[in-house]
Amino acid sequence: MEHVPALDEDLKKTLGPATAKVLAEQLGLHTALDLLHHYPRRYAERGELTSLAELADQIDEHVTVVAQVADARVLTFNGGRGKRLEVTITDGSGRLQLVFFGAGVHKPHKELLPGSRAMFAGKVSKFNHKLQLAHPAYEPLGGDASDRDAATAFANQLIPIYPACAKLESWKIAKCVDAVLPSAREAVDPLPPALREGRGLVPLTEALLKIHRPATKADIEDARQRLKWDEAFVLQVALARRRHADAQLPAVPRRPAPGGLLDAFDAKLPFTLTDGQRTVSKEIFDDLATSHPMHRLLQGEVGSGKTMVALRAMLAVVDSGGQAAMLAPTEVLAQQHHRSVVEMMGELAEGGMLGGSDQGTKVVLLTGSMGMPARRQALLDLVTGEAGIVIGTHALIEDKVQFHDLGLVVVDEQHRFGVEQRDALRSKGKQPPHLLVMTATPIPRTVAMTVFGDLETSVLDQLPAGRSPIATHVVPAKDKPHFLARAWERVREEVEKGHQAYVVCPRIGDGEDDPKKKQAADDADKRPPLAVLEIAEQLGRGPLAGLSVEVLHGRMDPADKDDVMRRFAAGEVKVLVATTVIEVGVNVPNSTVMVIMDADRFGVSQLHQLRGRVGRGSAPGLCLLVSEMHEASPARARLAAVAATLDGFELSRIDLEQRREGDVLGQAQSGVRSSLRMLAVIEDEEVIAQAREEATRVVAQDPALERLPGLRTALDALLDSEREQYLEKG
């Protein structure tokens, strides 16, 4: 009788130690169940030639292609001592060269005859501006194949192409899957039978067999639909359980006192809040008034006034006798927030101080680089309750920091913090404090439902009155060098009008970040990224000579960073050449122009964030995206998308689609690889929304999942330990 591996059985037993080691180290697959969930990336058909045209975007990636040999020739070099076999393969839409050297030319020369067809796997590289695979592994698919059994096995089938690695080609993975496929019969179905039948989904065992060994394209579709539901539903159940558990936690309701600090602040505001700010504030105040902790995500377009909304929430908590802490990802941002909060509050930020308001409170800053006396005073103000508001960096999380009564934690730019850091700060409350998470990176609805599924979401998409539009243009520095010269003229013109400018570079250039000089000298695409220190020097001597040009980057001394930012904010520095340290929160309304060098090296959402630093005052903003990439390249298409719209939600969608976002979950939460293998958070919006509804209903009826043991088992299997921890902590 055949050996059917148990689902949790180590692959060593079934496949042998050598193969199991490669699967574990290269692909993270350890058990039969892991391998069953390693789904084919796509399928090739016997009669179809797979497109080679996409390979230009996959330099340095391992690929598998099915193609026909067009020609093969052996060339000699080194006076006839060396041999090289060059094989050209084609799929009708493109051609690709394969090269074999030395003793390795004989076997492929006999087997890869013109007209024969095979699967080829290898790493795409570029030589003399041509794409090639050097020494690819191959599996003949024709009648004259040496391994006739393998070729026959592939005959008349859809050929699964698996995500592979250099040491294990797709067809070898297919053979490994064959060895564990019988154990699919043991798979525990996580979906409640009523849900599965109601939605017309095939049983799990059938889905696993059909995804790996489909007879028809309809089989693949049935399997995908079912496996997407598994991933979406199990994940949404985990999040629904988290929300359910949060609703059971106790929290102190925080209501602003009539005629208190919040009313005094609102009375002195020199402008009217937008409708969006009012709506979101009401949602937050309603949450704060409940006896279980608020868990809310506040998404706001760049410059939509999130800080104002967060500050009013903090004042409401101080009004009710509690304290509020704001956690910022960088010292530059923490100092910036502290300055702007103190400015907005005026004498209300000087509670207990000479000239301060009776209704006021103290607003303190706490960062790692503060001097000892200032730090000691800040810690004292927090533990006594003298300071109602503290703004700081990771320094807030240290054991020494104690609060009198922490009522609200505001986390700015959530994606910069690990879950552990967020929790360490929350654990400083006597009871769980309320939590407000803010991000200026717009997140499409389904991503919010998936990544931040344990948080309620509020969106600010209206810009405050008086904000100026930002015009964005691509500057093709290589094709049209005079465009770049004109860009520097525009910077000068803005400075002459009394405004200021940012120039952003991807690298510092201080020796510590020198890129590895691996690239071939003739590959212009791969020159080192432009650096802050080099560009600042060139501009100061050249196109911007005579203007005050200064630099800002993450490795500067904190006091120097703060000094530069203060002088830039005061208008003394006219041009700031910086890294992405200015990406979030930096608010200098007089800055009207930003030039982003090597813009193609930044992500779409990051470019949108950066551009949000200009046009924050009454004068219009201008953002120039400088790139040397060719007009037809995907990188230029990305830049054109940024130039075409100011809608951050639209851009974040484009960004995710281009990043092949299966990994959005792992990256956004704990840096581990995503558990999503089949579900695409952008394309599968409907499945995710429906799964969330079903999950909420299931958890409301049976929070411990006592009646659904299969679902409980799937939760344990799908959520790795780190992600389980994230869900436990929220």
Side-chain angles (χ1 to χ4, degrees):
M1 196 182 129
E2 64 171 339
H3 167 65
V4 177
L7 289 170
D8 58 357
E9 189 173 289
D10 194 302
L11 289 170
K12 279 186 202 136
K13 283 191 182 174
T14 320
L15 305 173
T19 303
K21 186 173 185 238
V22 175
L23 287 168
E25 288 177 2
Q26 302 285 318
L27 298 168
L29 306 174
H30 303 274
T31 65
L33 187 66
D34 291 343
L35 192 47
L36 286 174
H37 285 303
H38 187 69
Y39 306 132
R41 178 178 284 170
R42 59 187 175 84
Y43 301 84
E45 290 179 64
R46 253 332 244 117
E48 164 213 32
L49 290 176
T50 307
S51 168
L52 298 178
E54 308 154 8
L55 295 187
D57 294 336
Q58 298 186 44
I59 302 286
D60 289 339
E61 284 192 33
H62 287 278
V63 299
T64 303
V65 295
V66 178
Q68 185 165 329
V69 177
D71 63 62
R73 57 200 180 123
V74 174
L75 304 171
T76 57
F77 54 93
N78 274 357
R81 288 193 301 278
K83 284 187 175 179
R84 179 170 85 244
L85 171 65
E86 288 184 0
V87 178
T88 306
I89 58 173
T90 179
D91 66 351
S93 75
R95 294 164 85 82
L96 178 67
Q97 192 172 65
L98 317 176
V99 288
F100 301 86
F101 293 99
V105 306
H106 304 300
K107 188 168 180 279
H109 193 212
K110 277 192 296 195
E111 293 178 341
L112 299 178
L113 301 170
S116 64
R117 299 178 63 253
M119 292 171 79
F120 301 93
K123 190 173 177 182
V124 183
S125 59
K126 219 176 186 184
F127 182 72
N128 282 343
H129 305 294
K130 275 188 186 167
L131 293 180
Q132 68 170 27
L133 299 183
H135 274 288
Y138 62 91
E139 180 86 351
L141 295 176
D144 54 355
S146 59
D147 188 349
R148 284 174 186 282
D149 292 346
T152 311
F154 284 130
N156 307 318
Q157 270 187 17
L158 289 158
I159 305 166
I161 307 287
Y162 287 92
C165 60
K167 293 181 180 172
L168 212 59
E169 294 84 23
S170 170
W171 52 87
K172 288 183 183 164
I173 293 174
K175 287 172 186 171
C176 296
V177 170
D178 282 338
V180 299
L181 207 49
S183 60
R185 295 199 292 270
E186 312 300 317
V188 182
D189 201 320
L191 295 190
L195 188 160
R196 186 170 62 70
E197 286 153 20
R199 299 209 170 258
L201 299 167
V202 299
L204 179 58
T205 295
E206 189 181 324
L208 289 170
L209 293 171
K210 282 182 168 177
I211 199 74
H212 289 292
R213 299 295 172 262
T216 63
K217 287 183 177 173
D219 281 356
I220 300 170
E221 196 42 50
D222 285 351
R224 277 191 172 148
Q225 207 47 31
R226 164 61 216 246
L227 295 167
K228 280 179 180 183
W229 255 95
D230 274 18
E231 289 178 10
F233 180 70
V234 173
L235 187 60
Q236 291 301 336
V237 165
L239 294 165
R241 288 181 78 191
R242 180 73 200 106
R243 290 194 300 276
H244 185 272
D246 283 341
Q248 317 306 311
L249 288 173
V252 179
R254 307 283 180 175
R255 295 184 184 88
L261 182 56
L262 179 62
D263 285 351
F265 175 76
D266 283 350
K268 63 192 276 304
L269 272 182
F271 52 81
T272 315
L273 296 174
T274 65
D275 292 346
Q277 285 174 318
R278 286 177 191 286
T279 305
V280 170
S281 289
K282 183 180 183 313
E283 290 171 350
I284 291 171
F285 290 154
D286 288 350
D287 282 359
L288 289 173
T290 62
S291 54
H292 59 83
M294 165 171 80
H295 284 90
R296 191 165 282 279
L297 170 69
L298 172 55
Q299 290 192 64
E301 273 287 17
V302 178
S304 59
K306 290 183 302 302
T307 311
M308 173 59 70
V309 169
L311 175 55
R312 292 182 74 244
M314 292 196 285
L315 294 175
V317 169
V318 175
D319 247 358
S320 72
Q323 291 169 294
M326 182 187 257
L327 185 59
T330 64
E331 292 212 348
V332 167
L333 190 50
Q335 288 159 343
Q336 175 90 31
H337 275 321
H338 181 254
R339 271 201 296 275
S340 58
V341 165
V342 168
E343 273 167 27
M344 285 193 272
M345 287 176 64
E347 74 276 8
L348 295 172
E350 295 162 2
M353 294 155 73
L354 203 60
S357 161
D358 295 344
Q359 293 163 308
T361 187
K362 238 184 190 182
V363 179
V364 299
L365 175 70
L366 191 64
T367 65
S369 67
M370 279 168 76
M372 227 28 240
R375 187 181 174 78
R376 211 172 283 125
Q377 184 60 52
L379 291 172
L380 188 64
D381 288 340
L382 287 178
V383 78
T384 59
E386 191 81 11
I389 295 177
V390 59
I391 296 166
T393 53
H394 302 76
L396 279 177
I397 296 165
E398 290 173 12
D399 293 342
K400 288 185 216 131
V401 181
Q402 291 182 327
F403 290 85
H404 176 65
D405 180 14
L406 180 60
L408 170 66
V409 172
V410 178
V411 181
D412 193 21
E413 289 307 319
Q414 156 64 21
H415 63 287
R416 302 293 187 89
F417 288 102
V419 177
E420 293 76 13
Q421 295 162 320
R422 178 169 121 184
D423 292 329
L425 184 51
R426 284 175 63 196
S427 69
K428 292 181 181 288
K430 293 186 178 80
Q431 279 194 318
H434 298 280
L435 174 71
L436 179 64
V437 166
M438 300 199 296
T439 178
T441 306
I443 305 165
R445 176 170 157 262
T446 43
V447 183
M449 273 195 287
T450 313
V451 177
F452 299 110
D454 59 334
L455 303 173
E456 299 301 322
T457 305
S458 297
V459 178
L460 268 181
D461 49 12
Q462 198 182 351
L463 291 184
R467 274 290 157 86
S468 307
I470 304 168
T472 307
H473 302 286
V474 179
V475 177
K478 206 168 189 181
D479 311 343
K480 299 177 178 170
H482 59 287
F483 275 36
L484 183 56
R486 175 70 189 123
W488 302 127
E489 283 171 22
R490 282 294 289 116
V491 171
R492 252 187 195 288
E493 286 162 15
E494 287 299 308
V495 171
E496 279 161 13
K497 287 183 200 164
H499 298 307
Q500 290 158 276
Y502 295 101
V503 178
V504 181
C505 303
R507 194 162 66 85
I508 298 171
D510 59 357
E512 283 185 50
D513 66 346
D514 265 0
K516 304 280 175 284
K517 304 273 193 293
K518 286 180 191 161
Q519 299 100 346
D522 64 349
D523 198 344
D525 299 353
K526 295 285 179 90
R527 67 149 172 74
L530 295 171
V532 165
L533 300 177
E534 293 156 14
I535 293 293
E537 192 188 340
Q538 287 169 22
L539 293 176
R541 281 189 325 216
L544 303 184
L547 302 182
S548 58
V549 177
E550 300 241 1
V551 302
L552 181 72
H553 60 76
R555 279 205 284 270
M556 284 166 65
D557 181 270
D560 294 343
K561 274 194 279 198
D562 196 38
D563 176 56
V564 170
M565 273 316 299
R566 275 178 191 284
R567 289 188 295 112
F568 187 62
E572 295 164 28
V573 174
K574 298 301 178 191
V575 180
L576 190 63
V577 184
T579 55
T580 53
V581 70
I582 58 137
E583 179 186 345
V584 288
V586 174
N587 183 21
V588 180
N590 193 42
S591 307
T592 54
V593 61
M594 176 178 284
V595 182
I596 303 179
M597 308 302 290
D598 278 347
D600 48 89
R601 295 185 189 252
F602 299 97
V604 168
S605 293
Q606 198 173 27
L607 291 169
H608 182 59
Q609 282 285 310
L610 286 165
R611 136 176 97 180
R613 302 300 112 214
V614 295
R616 298 175 77 87
S618 53
L622 172 66
C623 178
L624 301 173
L625 306 174
V626 180
S627 172
E628 291 189 357
M629 297 303 275
H630 188 269
E631 192 172 1
S633 65
R636 279 284 293 277
R638 226 172 46 231
L639 298 184
V642 176
T645 180
L646 289 171
D647 181 340
F649 287 91
E650 176 57 29
L651 288 173
S652 67
R653 183 176 278 268
I654 293 167
D655 195 19
L656 282 169
E657 283 168 351
Q658 292 186 335
R659 272 193 297 150
R660 301 178 188 156
E661 55 56 45
D663 63 349
V664 74
L665 219 69
Q667 282 192 342
Q669 288 304 351
S670 54
V672 295
R673 187 174 170 273
S674 166
S675 58
L676 300 189
R677 295 177 176 87
M678 188 59 75
L679 193 71
V681 288
I682 290 290
E683 289 163 34
D684 298 319
E685 187 163 343
E686 211 173 300
V687 174
I688 292 168
Q690 290 170 1
R692 184 178 168 104
E693 274 172 40
E694 294 274 12
T696 306
R697 193 173 48 73
V698 165
V699 170
Q701 290 167 357
D702 182 7
L705 308 178
E706 283 166 2
R707 297 191 294 279
L708 297 166
L711 179 52
R712 271 214 317 276
T713 307
L715 265 181
D716 297 340
L718 194 72
L719 301 168
D720 54 42
S721 59
E722 275 190 75
R723 182 163 291 99
E724 186 68 83
Q725 212 180 356
Y726 146 62
L727 292 164
E728 282 306 313
K729 291 176 175 178

